[in-house]
């Protein structure tokens, strides 16, 4: 087969490679935002093309001091990088006494020993993920590095042992390179390797090297990308007069690599070594490697990195979307038990998005460290300590980057196919929903535009809200939901706040106050207190209606009513009817979290499962109660789980018609136990937030007319973009919201009509007050706010 490929004309070869790349990776092109850390420029090898390696006399120090390493890492983290690329010469202490003395003076046994220490320091201090690129190593040293770097790399370059380029380079012997590659596979290390084109080898030699890499990968599955690098001569090297790799030879090598390698292996070409990106993409490249906004390419200092905006525009110009990744590619990130050392699981998760790629919100990204937790009324206020991230996350007082409106240039690929089907009136299924969640770059705005057109057709340009008050009657709970920073058991005094239980008089007083302030709804939610029987919720409902007979009671999750019925030994339908007699009118959709039981086992293993949640709402609808759909997203789940949730609730809506709205609730991580235990991500990215609302509008079209945005978790700046992405409702004024704040959110504690107006009016939309059931309320003067 390989002979058939090499016989192809270049145009046909590139066309086949492009098709193979699209089949494997679609229209997405990945890169790793990195900072380049040249730990040492000493090397025992003398390669004929290298300007990176220097003799001790040309260096102020044999190695970078650890403090200097951390300065570079902090700069990278502040610039939004995810990777710390450690590049270094091979075993310089074997050649240079100065290197040996430097290591001995500081207590390091070898360059690898110091590299391990530097990787660990960078992880702990900046949160950047080290990618160790130390060359050919023995198996035990690879194993040590695995504990501190989620990925490693080494170029095979060529299997030709007779090239002048490698004269005097014992570490470039092909058998040493292949042994290292094999050992990395045995150790389950996500690995980057590659070939160097134009150093005296022929096309058959390049093919032989790629075939050898493919064979090792088929045994172990560990090769994440193969770099196809073109040789460029450099002044001051032995090969300064050697011609550069011809562009056609380079493109053919890329295409051959794509067609020879297994489909799950990316083909990479460094963008700074090419005059244009488009030919690389046409030849089958799916990854552009590490690109630094902070440091030069120390291996090729004469070739500056392209600016990320220019790289993004260049990929978009050929119908492709650029996406940041981590040092390890998504298939490794999504299977950490196999591929990532346990000590690195959280470090990788903390920088990952729901697809296992790198978080793409711009700004500084440092590890979140929770310091003091203060009592604030019924909830808490969480103070973060250490270096502060400036990247957006749910609950933060940071305005997100503007994604909508965005560039509306034409897009292609799978996302376009799904949107074309929506335009033709087709309902999206599970797989199509997952595809829409994969949107990147200009695709995000395309999804938002379709969603907003559906919004306009369904409900027009009116934006609604309800005046309401949250009453969280207790924060004591017998259930152990691992995402919840609000509820507490008897031993949680030292964690945050004080456990409390409001009396019925307390609840009635808050209801009366809310009614006097113009509220039409009271929202009742709380922990499952060990002393509650099912009659407690009935007593609370009666107390509310006695305090304000005309107020709408929106209360009690599927967990609360299911537990209440269970504790009384009553059928759920009978119990719900008793609540209705007391005055209950609608159920909130909370306690849904993610309707995927594998995920629920992580988030809330002792809570009701998916079928119990669906059955509670089905029963509620059957007895005459309306309810809404919520989803909590951004903790541990994937787009596949989001699609399962949407399809399951859509099917129930088609059956009963009882849901009034869909309310996405981004996970607020800062003080959530799951995050403090280093077992979750730091909430969704803003791109994921936009897509959750937009994809929901598309998926629920014709069934659920209202899509709501949570200003409590997203802030005014975030909500304004969502109003262009299919959202038509802003939820409630939420006097005394405390659950989000207990998890660390900066927003909450009430919004008034003027605040909502400031969000809506710049968009030319009309703000109207509604009831819980979306009937309009005649406008009245805003009452005084206590």
């Amino acid at each position: 087969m390989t002979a058939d490929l090499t016989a192809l004309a270049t145009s046909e070869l590139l066309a086949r490679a492009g098709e193979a790349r699209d089949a494997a990776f679609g229209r997405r092109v990945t890169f790793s935002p990195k900072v380049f850390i040249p730990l040492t420029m000493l090397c025992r090898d003398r390669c004929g093309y290298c300007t990176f390696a220097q003799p001790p006399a040309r260096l102020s120090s044999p190695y970078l001091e650890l403090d200097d390493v951390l300065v570079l890492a902090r700069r990278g983290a502040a610039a939004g990088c995810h990777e710390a690329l450690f590049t270094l010469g091979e075993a310089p202490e074997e050649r240079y006494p100065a290197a040996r003395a430097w290591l001995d003076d500081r207590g390091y046994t070898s360059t690898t020993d110091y590299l391990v220490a530097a990787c660990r320091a960078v992880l702990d201090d900046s949160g950047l993920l080290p990618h160790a690129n130390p060359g050919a190593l023995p198996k035990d040293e690879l194993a040590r590095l695995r504990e501190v770097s989620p990925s490693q790399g080494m170029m095979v370059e060529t299997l030709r042992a007779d090239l002048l380029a490698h004269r005097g380079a014992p570490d470039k012997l092909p058998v040493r390179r292949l042994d290292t590659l094999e050992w990395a596979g045995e150790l389950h290390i996500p690995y980057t390797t590659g070939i160097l084109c134009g150093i005296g080898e022929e096309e058959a030699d390049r093919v032989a090297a790629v075939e050898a890499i493919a064979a090792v990968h088929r045994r172990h599955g560990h090769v994440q990308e193969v770099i196809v690098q073109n040789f460029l001569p450099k002044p001051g090297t032995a090969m300064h007069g050697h011609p550069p790799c011809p562009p056609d030879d380079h493109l053919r090598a890329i295409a051959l690599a794509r067609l020879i390698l297994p489909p799950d292996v990316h083909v990479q070409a460094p963008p700074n070594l090419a005059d244009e990106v488009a030919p690389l993409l046409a030849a089958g490249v799916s990854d552009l490697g590490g690109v630094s906004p902070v440091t030069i390419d120390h291996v090729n200092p004469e070739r500056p990195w392209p600016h990320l905006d220019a790289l993004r525009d260049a990929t978009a110009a050929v119908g492709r979307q650029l996406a940041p990744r981590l040092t390890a590619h998504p298939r490794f990130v999504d299977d950490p038990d196999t591929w990532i050392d346990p000590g690195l699981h959280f470090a990788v998760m903390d920088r990952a998005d729901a697809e296992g790629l790198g978080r793409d919100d711009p700004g500084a990204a440092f590890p979140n460290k929770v310091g003091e937790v203060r009592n604030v009324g019924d909830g808490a206020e969480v103070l973060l300590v250490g270096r502060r991230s400036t990247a957006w996350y749910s609950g933060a007082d940071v305005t997100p980057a503007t994604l909508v409106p965005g560039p509306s240039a034409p897009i292609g690929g799978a996302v376009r196919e799904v949107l074309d089907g929506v335009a033709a009136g087709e309902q999206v299924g599970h797989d199509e929903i997952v595809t829409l969640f994969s949107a990147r770059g200009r695709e995000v705005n395309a999804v938002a535009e379709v969603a907003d057109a559906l919004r306009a057709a369904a409900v027009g340009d009116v934006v609604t809200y309800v005046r309401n008050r949250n009453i969280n009657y207790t924060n004591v709970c017998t259930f152990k939901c691992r995402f919840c920073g609000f509820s507490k058991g008897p031993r949680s005094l030292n964690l945050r706040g004080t456990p409390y239980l409001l009396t019925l008089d307390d609840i009635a007083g808050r209801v009366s106050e809310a009614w006097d302030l113009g509220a039409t709804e009271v929202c009742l939610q709380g922990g499952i207190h060990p002393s509650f029987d099912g009659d407690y919720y009935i007593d609370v409902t009666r107390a509310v209606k006695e305090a304000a007979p005309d107020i709408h009671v929106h209360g009690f999750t599927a967990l609360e009513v299911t537990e209440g019925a269970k504790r009384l030994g009553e059928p759920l339908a009978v119990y719900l009817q008793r609540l209705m007699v007391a005055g209950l009118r609608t159920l909130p959709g909370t306690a849904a979290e993610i309707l995927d039981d594998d995920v629920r086992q992580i988030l809330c293993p002792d809570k009701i499962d998916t079928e119990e949640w669906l059955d509670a709402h089905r029963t509620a609808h059957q007895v005459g109660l309306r309810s809404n759909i919520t989803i909590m997203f951004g903790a541990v789940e994937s787009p596949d789980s989001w699609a399962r949730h949407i399809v399951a609730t859509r099917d129930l809506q088609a059956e009963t018609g009882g849901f009034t709205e869909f309310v996405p609730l981004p996970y607020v991580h800062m003080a959530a136990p799951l995050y403090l235990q280093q077992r979750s991500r730091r909430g969704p990215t803003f791109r994921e937030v936009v897509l959750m609302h937009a994809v929901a509008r598309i998926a629920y079209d014709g069934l659920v007319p209202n899509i709501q945005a949570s200003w409590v978790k997203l802030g005014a700046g975030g909500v304004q973009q969502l109003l262009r992405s299919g959202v038509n409702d802003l939820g409630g004024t939420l006097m005394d919201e405390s659950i989000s704040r207990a998890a660390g959110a900066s927003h909450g504690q009430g919004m008034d009509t003027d605040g909502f107006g400031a969000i809506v009016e710049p968009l030319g939309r009309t703000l109207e007050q509604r009831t819980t059931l979306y009937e309009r309320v005649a406008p009245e003067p805003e009452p005084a706010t206590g």
Side-chain angles (χ1 to χ4, degrees), residues 437 589 592-595 613 627-633 642-643 645-647 649-650 653 659-665 689-700 703-710 726-731 770 774:
F437 279 127
E593 327 318 345
I594 295 288
L595 297 179
W613 187 93
S627 64
N628 60 29
I629 307 164
T630 66
I631 185 172
M632 188 195 75
F633 65 106
W642 300 343
H645 185 106
I646 289 172
V647 170
T649 51
R650 184 177 66 186
Q653 177 72 341
F659 291 124
T660 56
E661 64 207 344
F662 175 70
V663 189
L665 302 172
V689 169
V690 170
L691 289 173
M692 180 60 72
H693 292 77
V695 173
R697 171 61 70 181
I698 293 169
Y700 289 119
L703 288 168
V704 180
N706 302 298
I707 307 296
Q708 183 184 122
S710 172
V727 165
N728 69 296
D729 186 74
L730 298 177
R770 64 166 173 87
Y774 284 85

Side-chain angles (χ1 to χ4, degrees), residues 463 465 711 715-721 723-724 730 751-768:
V463 178
Y465 75 99
W711 62 266
V719 166
Q720 196 167 63
Q721 292 190 54
L723 288 172
R724 297 174 181 259
L730 298 177
M751 177 78 77
D752 58 19
T753 303
D754 289 342
F756 284 142
I759 297 172
V760 171
E761 289 165 8
L763 304 180
R765 307 269 282 278
T766 301
L767 180 69
E768 292 186 5

Side-chain angles (χ1 to χ4, degrees), residues 535 537-546 549 553 556 575-585:
D535 285 332
Y537 302 112
I538 294 173
D539 293 340
V540 168
T541 305
R542 287 176 178 150
V544 169
K545 296 300 283 186
E546 288 171 4
V553 181
F556 314 127
Y575 181 64
L576 288 172
Q577 287 169 333
R578 291 180 60 210
L579 280 167
M580 291 174 68
V581 170
L584 182 66
R585 290 295 173 263

Side-chain angles (χ1 to χ4, degrees), residues 16-93:
R16 291 194 188 183
E19 291 173 0
R21 183 270 323 283
D22 287 352
F25 301 110
R27 313 291 287 183
R28 180 181 295 169
V29 178
T30 51
F31 78 102
S32 178
K34 72 176 181 182
V35 60
F36 206 125
I37 301 179
L39 195 66
T40 179
M41 299 179 78
L42 299 177
C43 184
R44 72 174 173 183
D45 295 324
R46 296 186 293 274
C47 298
Y49 47 77
C50 181
T51 58
F52 176 78
Q54 299 292 325
R58 295 185 185 176
L59 301 174
S60 59
S61 173
Y63 296 82
L64 278 181
E65 295 285 356
L66 207 54
D67 287 346
D68 297 324
V69 168
L70 295 181
V71 166
L72 287 175
R74 291 166 193 159
R75 285 178 57 201
C81 296
H82 292 306
E83 172 184 343
L85 171 61
F86 282 92
T87 191
L88 55 153
E90 303 201 30
E93 67 271 28

Side-chain angles (χ1 to χ4, degrees), residues 74 76-81 351 361-366 388-393 682:
R74 291 166 193 159
C81 296
R351 288 184 170 271
D361 292 297
F366 286 103
R388 298 299 297 270
S389 297
T390 59
W392 181 90
Y393 50 84
R682 57 173 69 186

